[in-house]
């Protein structure tokens, strides 16, 4: 694993229940602020293996980024189960729920 990938995995593993972070925020904290798409790839390929709380990662607009209905609904329900209110179009109040480690 590259140092960037290790940092991304560690940050995601440490997002507390009831909080969210954005792809870009994670990329920046991992040392590569322009690598939000790499964070997406890491989540896609390593979530299961490393038991990452993938549902706590959203886009910069504060929205669930997934387009597939099943995964979208799973993320929505997982966030709501942790107390995160998800509004219309999958929007989450970043001022209230964004985690800043």
């Amino acid at each position: 694993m590259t140092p960037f990938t290790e940092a991304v995995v560690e940050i995601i593993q440490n997002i507390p229940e009831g909080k969210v972070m954005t792809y870009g925020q994670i990329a920046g904290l991992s040392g590569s602020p322009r690598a939000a798409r790499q964070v997406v790839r890491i989540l896609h390929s390593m979530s299961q293996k490393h038991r990452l709380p993938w549902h706590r990662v959203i886009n910069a607009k504060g929205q669930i980024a997934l387009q597939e209905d099943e995964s979208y609904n799973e993320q929505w329900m997982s966030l709501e189960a942790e107390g995160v209110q998800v509004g219309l179009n999958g929007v989450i109040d970043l001022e209230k729920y964004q985690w800043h480690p």
Side-chain angles (χ1 to χ4, degrees), residues 15-71:
I15 301 171
E17 187 174 309
K19 293 292 183 183
V20 297
M21 292 182 78
T22 67
Y23 299 104
Q25 179 187 11
I26 294 166
L29 289 170
S30 299
S32 202
R34 303 179 129 226
R37 288 180 189 238
Q38 282 183 281
V39 173
V40 173
R41 282 189 220 109
I42 291 165
L43 267 176
H44 181 73
S45 64
M46 298 187 158
S47 284
Q48 207 166 25
K49 178 180 179 182
H50 294 280
R51 296 183 169 200
L52 300 177
W54 62 271
H55 62 281
R56 297 180 188 149
V57 184
I58 59 175
N59 71 21
K61 296 177 184 175
Q63 294 176 303
I64 294 173
L66 298 170
Q67 301 299 316
E68 183 187 325
D69 281 339
E70 188 176 324
S71 296

Side-chain angles (χ1 to χ4, degrees), residues 17-20 76 79-86 92-93 97:
E17 187 174 309
K19 293 292 183 183
V20 297
W76 184 312
L79 287 168
E80 292 243 321
E82 293 183 357
V84 176
Q85 292 180 332
V86 181
I92 293 138
D93 182 352
Y97 297 108

